[in-house]
Amino acid sequence: SAVAAPFAGCRDRLLSLLSLPSAVGLRVALQLPDTLLPQAVDLHRQLLAELGDDAEVFLLVDSNYGNVGADDLSAAHVGADALVRVGGGDPTIASSMPLLLLPSVAPGGP
């Protein structure tokens, strides 16, 4: 089933965060909590649809999600320009790349 994702407006927020005029060539890493891994493909598709065909989205599905840490190291390994982390996190923890924290969504969706 489709998953209700918090990606509305994500494109504009990322372009503003990165000071970019368009999403052409934008490379974004998507980090999900373990509870959303069964819906990872749907969420990946939804973010890609929000960003447009000119962007790339890399899905990070390793197990070091943790309670607050953004996996900017894995995002850097895929050459991401920014990291989108679903499930929130501690905004006071420094990240080595632009980070967009989004609220979690219910597993399984509506």
Side-chain angles (χ1 to χ4, degrees):
S1 68
V3 178
F7 300 132
C10 189
R11 180 182 185 276
D12 291 338
R13 291 172 64 192
L14 281 170
L15 293 180
S16 175
L17 183 66
L18 296 166
S19 299
L20 294 174
S22 76
V24 174
L26 180 63
R27 297 169 60 92
V28 176
L30 175 60
Q31 184 182 10
L32 303 171
D34 290 344
T35 57
L36 290 178
L37 291 183
Q39 288 82 32
V41 173
D42 286 339
L43 290 167
H44 175 271
R45 287 181 184 146
Q46 289 180 28
L47 180 56
L48 191 55
E50 168 69 18
L51 296 177
D53 291 337
D54 294 325
E56 291 181 271
V57 176
F58 300 89
L59 189 56
L60 305 180
V61 294
D62 52 17
S63 62
N64 65 354
Y65 184 85
N67 291 327
V68 294
D71 190 5
D72 50 354
L73 182 60
S74 290
H77 285 167
V78 297
D81 300 307
L83 174 60
V84 173
R85 185 176 195 271
V86 176
D90 185 345
T92 64
I93 294 177
S95 175
S96 65
M97 70 174 42
L99 172 64
L100 184 58
L101 299 173
L102 299 176
S104 191
V105 296

